[in-house]
Amino acid sequence: MPQMPEKTPGNTEWFVHDRFGMFIHWGLYALPARHEWVKKREMIPDEKYDVYFRHFNPDLYDPTVWAKAAKNAGMKYFVVTTKHHEGFCLWDSDLTDYKATNTPYGKDLLKPMVEAFRAEGLKVGFYHSLIDWHHPEFPVDCMHPMRNDKEFRERTKGRDITKYAEYLHGQTRELLTRFGKIDIMWFDFSYPTQPDGGKGRNDWQSEKLYELVRKLMPDVVLDDRLDLERGYDIKTPEQWQPQEWVKVDGKPVVWEACQTLNGSWGYDRDNLDWKSPALLLWMLVDSVSKGGNLLLNVGPTGRGEFDERALATLQAIGKWTRVNGRSIYGCTASDYTPPPDCRYTQNGNRLYLHVMAWPLRHLHLKGIADRIEYAQFLHDASEIRIFQNTFDHSIEKDNTVVLEIPIQKPNVEIPVIEIFLKDR
Ligand code: GLC
């Protein structure tokens, strides 16, 4: 088996077992429906952006529907944006008026969501933005919507980041004391080395924030975006797939790729860049085959629903995970080298061969002739026959066996062959 990551402060045991989670990006940006960075990209001042606050009323919001969609897709945990860069809070925070309870919707959105997902057996994760384009003490910088407004910058140059840090820590305390056990804390993001003044560990007072998190929720799985060299539990490649097990200083670490359905985290109505279920499943399998997790995002609409494209994608993913989940949950990378266009995942003596491109009749498995005992399609448990030194493929060395597969690819997005290995 491959070298395993060293223990980190948080409890990642359940995390590396569960492998697959739902990211949820939801806030006022669902109304402009043009990406969650719309305020920054279009340099929208607060007084204009407030129209979305005044019209935020997700009357069709039912988190039990969301939780069931996540569970049925085979997701085992979720991470929701409690507050994104726009500064709007989903919960009834004591520290701001810029929250869901003050919109026409008038209620806390976070508590019922946590309860609904917990009721479906999913672990609970909070994303919390370090950045806050609405807070009166957050200094304007290269990322800020008002970055090019000289008058605004002049007028606000006295902003005190230590006051903002106090707010950031205070809200973190609320999030980690009001909603029961939180399994993942996902801060986002630090940018210390920007030309026009970025923000990092000193601005967030990250060391102090880290101590607070560990005091309130010692086992929580903490991401790597506080601009700290130590203490985090997971690396978080975003919108790209690592080519191998993610390493830090040459050692494998626990990692999770966070990915979107269409390139946007927030609801993006006119976006046509939707990934197919086959591609998304490939990303899930590929992540696990390299010892990682996949956190797949949904951006709910301003009515409080997952849009039909997201729901259809989640249903297609669930159709696959329902019968092939055994090749994902509890699995990790394998030391064996798979055939071309295939991925291996492994869980003890169970080796799972994911066939990404369907070849003609044969799969040549190198290096396992001495251990293979039996093989079957995972989706229907039908036998896959194993041959050795039978076909004149002039390659049957290297401890190779040949699996004979049907000409017709089974009606499964990514067919999986479950291989039973004899004990070493
Ligand atoms: C990036 C994006 C942010 C998103 C996050 C998710 O930081 O800027 O909008 O929430 O990735 O990982």
Side-chain angles (χ1 to χ4, degrees):
M1 289 302 280
Q3 182 191 358
M4 288 296 139
E6 291 170 4
K7 178 100 183 70
T8 57
N11 167 21
T12 55
E13 216 168 296
W14 68 267
F15 185 79
V16 298
H17 175 277
D18 287 356
R19 290 298 180 207
F20 189 29
M22 176 181 275
F23 217 166
I24 298 173
H25 276 68
W26 198 33
L28 298 180
Y29 44 80
L31 268 66
R34 309 192 286 275
H35 194 277
E36 75 286 351
W37 278 62
V38 61
K39 188 175 184 182
K40 184 248 184 185
R41 289 175 172 187
E42 298 179 17
M43 294 184 269
I44 306 173
D46 283 342
E47 52 275 16
K48 268 188 72 183
Y49 199 81
D50 278 350
V51 70
Y52 306 124
F53 185 87
R54 296 197 301 276
H55 290 272
F56 185 78
N57 187 5
D59 59 317
L60 300 179
Y61 174 57
D62 177 351
T64 62
V65 172
W66 295 12
K68 285 177 175 25
K71 182 182 181 181
N72 294 337
M75 292 160 160
K76 302 295 182 183
Y77 61 96
F78 85 111
V79 179
V80 60
T81 53
T82 57
K83 176 195 84 167
H84 204 262
H85 309 336
E86 64 178 6
F88 175 71
C89 301
L90 298 190
W91 81 103
D92 189 13
S93 171
D94 296 340
L95 303 176
T96 181
D97 294 332
Y98 204 49
K99 56 187 177 178
T101 41
N102 289 345
T103 66
Y105 183 69
K107 291 178 283 183
D108 182 306
L109 293 162
L110 194 56
K111 208 163 188 67
M113 195 188 303
V114 169
E115 288 163 357
F117 277 79
R118 250 193 211 123
E120 293 298 333
L122 278 79
K123 292 271 196 312
V124 176
F126 286 160
Y127 164 111
H128 193 65
S129 176
L130 299 166
I131 298 166
D132 193 315
W133 296 326
H134 181 270
H135 195 276
E137 294 296 348
F138 190 87
V140 177
D141 60 18
C142 57
M143 300 279 184
H144 199 283
M146 305 306 285
R147 61 194 176 283
N148 294 340
D149 184 320
K150 287 190 176 49
E151 188 279 325
F152 186 91
R153 290 194 76 143
E154 182 56 30
R155 181 157 41 88
T156 61
K157 67 183 180 187
R159 288 184 166 188
D160 180 352
I161 188 75
T162 61
K163 289 189 180 138
Y164 171 69
E166 189 182 339
Y167 172 76
L168 170 66
H169 291 215
Q171 287 204 320
T172 300
R173 177 180 293 278
E174 287 186 340
L175 291 170
L176 294 180
T177 54
R178 295 186 179 182
F179 298 92
K181 186 172 185 321
I182 302 305
D183 302 289
I184 300 172
M185 198 65 205
W186 223 102
F187 288 104
D188 182 52
F189 67 96
S190 299
Y191 46 106
T193 54
Q194 293 295 322
D196 177 9
K199 287 185 177 62
R201 65 188 76 166
N202 298 329
D203 303 288
W204 319 130
Q205 296 181 31
S206 295
E207 287 288 353
K208 211 171 127 199
L209 184 56
Y210 173 80
E211 298 308 328
L212 176 66
V213 170
R214 287 289 176 221
K215 186 177 81 174
L216 295 174
M217 212 56 75
D219 291 346
V220 77
V221 173
L222 179 64
D223 77 323
D224 62 332
R225 300 190 179 187
L226 278 174
D227 187 26
L228 293 177
E229 305 301 323
R230 64 170 190 85
Y232 61 80
D233 298 295
I234 59 172
K235 291 299 287 180
T236 56
E238 171 185 327
Q239 303 244 46
W240 54 277
Q241 282 296 120
Q243 292 307 295
E244 60 178 16
W245 195 313
V246 173
K247 293 182 176 66
V248 171
D249 302 332
K251 293 180 187 160
V253 294
V254 180
W255 64 274
E256 171 193 72
C258 54
Q259 301 283 8
T260 60
L261 295 177
N262 61 8
S264 174
W265 301 97
Y267 180 58
D268 188 0
R269 180 193 64 206
D270 305 337
N271 184 312
L272 300 176
D273 230 1
W274 287 78
K275 302 173 180 77
S276 66
L279 175 55
L280 293 163
L281 284 167
W282 176 89
M283 292 155 64
L284 172 61
V285 166
D286 186 59
S287 296
V288 179
S289 79
K290 296 173 173 81
N293 283 30
L294 176 68
L295 184 63
L296 183 58
N297 182 75
V298 180
T301 70
R303 293 295 298 275
E305 293 190 302
F306 293 171
D307 74 282
E308 59 189 17
R309 294 166 296 185
L311 284 174
T313 302
L314 291 170
Q315 280 154 9
I317 290 172
K319 185 179 171 210
W320 186 88
T321 54
R322 187 182 67 81
V323 291
N324 295 293
R326 207 155 72 205
S327 72
I328 297 295
Y329 311 124
C331 291
T332 188
S334 171
D335 277 335
Y336 294 114
T337 304
D341 302 321
C342 294
R343 295 290 186 275
Y344 274 142
T345 60
Q346 188 163 352
N347 182 356
N349 283 346
R350 298 284 179 95
L351 181 65
Y352 296 96
L353 175 61
H354 301 79
V355 188
M356 307 305 201
W358 197 247
L360 171 64
R361 283 191 63 203
H362 301 112
L363 284 160
H364 300 88
L365 309 190
K366 289 187 175 176
I368 69 167
D370 58 350
R371 288 198 68 197
I372 191 165
E373 187 236 324
Y374 183 70
Q376 64 179 10
F377 271 136
L378 184 51
H379 67 279
D380 66 359
S382 60
E383 183 180 11
I384 295 290
R385 299 174 69 197
I386 304 165
F387 296 89
Q388 191 171 8
N389 304 325
T390 314
F391 299 91
D392 176 18
H393 294 236
S394 69
I395 60 111
E396 286 179 37
K397 49 187 185 306
D398 306 333
N399 193 8
T400 295
V401 291
V402 177
L403 301 187
E404 188 170 67
I405 57 175
I407 296 296
Q408 295 286 330
K409 174 189 168 194
N411 181 26
V412 177
E413 281 294 5
I414 301 176
V416 184
I417 295 171
E418 184 172 39
I419 296 166
F420 296 76
L421 298 174
K422 300 169 195 158
D423 287 342
R424 279 193 193 282

